[in-house]
């Protein structure tokens, strides 16, 4: 039986990292195999759209051998390593190629654009009038206190002791 998971979405400009990823965090198992496991360590499925496109499953695993020690590891599909491409085109290169090929799949239709403006224009006007409380953050911030609080309420636990290591770069 798989426990339910927490999914959070944060977006912003001028944050501390330039990345686009979807992070699905699995709740801690009620059956802990490791007595000294930090409760903030969770298994996560991460879909990194960029930079360095990758899909990886971060998980707590048992270290090989006769001890009952754990480590945080990952099953990693980093595109640069898996596919022998010298140059993976960036988003704008792919977009220009689609234009040259006449492929409209990645473009917004006119009716979609009008509907988006119909939905968001009142919201933007309310922000301009001060009718909505918009939480501001400092340039280079990781997050805001309210965002962290909301994610915590949803069950998301931030663990700062792990950093994904891009295997295509020498450590």
């Amino acid at each position: 039986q798989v426990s339910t998971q927490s999914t959070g979405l944060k977006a912003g400009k001028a944050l501390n990292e330039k990345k686009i990823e979807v992070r699905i965090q699995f709740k801690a198992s009620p059956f802990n195999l490791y007595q000294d496991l930090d409760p903030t360590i969770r298994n996560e499925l991460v879909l990194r759209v960029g930079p360095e496109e990758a899909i990886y499953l971060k998980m707590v695993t048992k270290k090989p051998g006769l001890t009952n020690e754990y480590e945080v590891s990952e099953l990693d599909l980093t595109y640069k390593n898996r596919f022998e491409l010298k140059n993976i085109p960036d988003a704008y290169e792919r977009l220009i190629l689609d234009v040259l090929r006449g492929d409209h799949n990645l473009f917004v239709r006119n009716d979609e654009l009008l509907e988006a403006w119909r939905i968001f224009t009142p919201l933007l006007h309310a922000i301009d009038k001060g009718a909505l409380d918009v939480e501001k953050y400092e340039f280079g911030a990781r997050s805001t206190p309210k965002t962290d609080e909301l994610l915590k309420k949803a069950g998301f636990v931030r663990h700062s002791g792990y950093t994904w290591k891009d295997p295509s770069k020498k450590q």
Side-chain angles (χ1 to χ4, degrees):
Q1 176 179 345
V2 176
S3 298
T4 56
Q5 70 281 342
S6 299
T7 306
L9 173 66
K10 289 194 302 186
K13 293 285 189 182
L15 296 173
N16 65 331
E17 291 183 86
K18 181 180 179 180
K19 67 179 176 180
I20 303 167
E21 66 183 25
V22 176
R23 183 174 294 268
I24 300 169
Q25 186 178 86
F26 298 95
K27 291 191 176 178
S29 170
F31 310 105
N32 186 0
L33 298 175
Y34 308 103
Q35 302 302 326
D36 61 340
L37 180 64
D38 179 344
T40 65
I41 298 175
R42 301 279 177 87
N43 296 335
E44 294 180 332
L45 175 63
V46 180
L47 310 169
R48 181 171 282 220
V49 179
E52 306 299 334
E53 294 87 349
I55 300 170
Y56 64 94
L57 178 63
K58 182 191 90 165
M59 62 192 154
V60 177
T61 59
K62 180 189 174 300
K63 286 185 179 180
L66 299 176
T67 67
N68 194 29
E69 295 179 25
Y70 69 88
E71 69 181 5
V72 179
S73 185
E74 65 274 322
L75 290 174
D76 191 348
L77 170 61
T78 301
Y79 282 46
K80 276 188 178 177
N81 293 349
R82 174 63 180 94
F83 305 105
E84 294 183 19
L85 300 173
K86 299 289 182 224
N87 179 28
I88 297 176
D90 69 19
Y92 289 112
E93 288 174 304
R94 287 182 288 226
L95 194 63
I96 290 170
L97 183 59
D98 286 344
V99 168
L100 295 174
R101 290 180 175 163
D103 184 352
H104 299 269
N105 288 324
L106 298 178
F107 294 90
V108 176
R109 292 189 329 255
N110 188 43
D111 60 331
E112 291 176 294
L113 185 60
L114 291 172
E115 185 64 11
W117 279 114
R118 185 191 68 75
I119 293 168
F120 283 100
T121 298
L123 179 65
L124 295 172
H125 288 305
I127 290 170
D128 287 342
K129 292 177 185 173
L132 287 176
D133 182 26
V134 177
E135 186 175 10
K136 296 180 181 176
Y137 55 88
E138 289 186 34
F139 181 88
R142 183 193 61 76
S143 187
T144 66
K146 284 185 182 177
T147 302
D148 290 340
E149 183 180 320
L150 185 63
L151 288 170
K152 187 175 181 180
K153 282 182 184 177
F156 196 88
V157 178
R158 183 168 190 276
H159 177 71
S160 58
Y162 170 84
T163 304
W164 177 69
K165 295 169 184 68
D166 181 354
S168 67
K169 295 180 179 162
K170 300 282 185 207
Q171 300 296 328

